[in-house]
Amino acid sequence: MQVNIDIVYMLDMAVDTSKMTRKLISLPNDMLETISDFRFRERIGSEAEAIRRLIEAGLKALQNDNSGR
């Protein structure tokens, strides 16, 4: 599985935990390995943050893709 994204984040971005909801999900092992590779390549501090960034990038890509229709 190849993941290619370009995301720029401010290092001091604060996360408002009052606007957060926890979700428990199951992932295939190969997807988790890809997420882990992304996390370390991008030097992201936590697995949860890496997953949030990947979801955000995917949703943004879908939105951009759908806006051209």
Side-chain angles (χ1 to χ4, degrees), residues 5-48:
I5 65 169
D6 294 317
I7 302 177
V8 177
Y9 280 86
M10 294 172 45
L11 293 176
D12 294 321
M13 185 186 317
V15 176
D16 183 356
T17 57
S18 69
K19 296 180 181 179
M20 303 287 268
T21 302
R22 289 183 173 268
K23 294 291 181 184
L24 178 62
I25 61 169
S26 298
L27 300 172
N29 290 335
D30 62 332
M31 184 181 291
L32 190 57
E33 186 176 328
T34 302
I35 292 168
S36 183
D37 292 345
F38 168 77
R39 175 185 170 205
F40 287 106
R41 186 176 61 248
E42 299 297 318
R43 293 178 165 75
I44 298 171
S46 72
E47 185 176 75

Side-chain angles (χ1 to χ4, degrees), residues 1-4 34 41:
M1 177 182 273
Q2 178 68 26
V3 177
N4 234 352
T34 302
R41 186 176 61 248

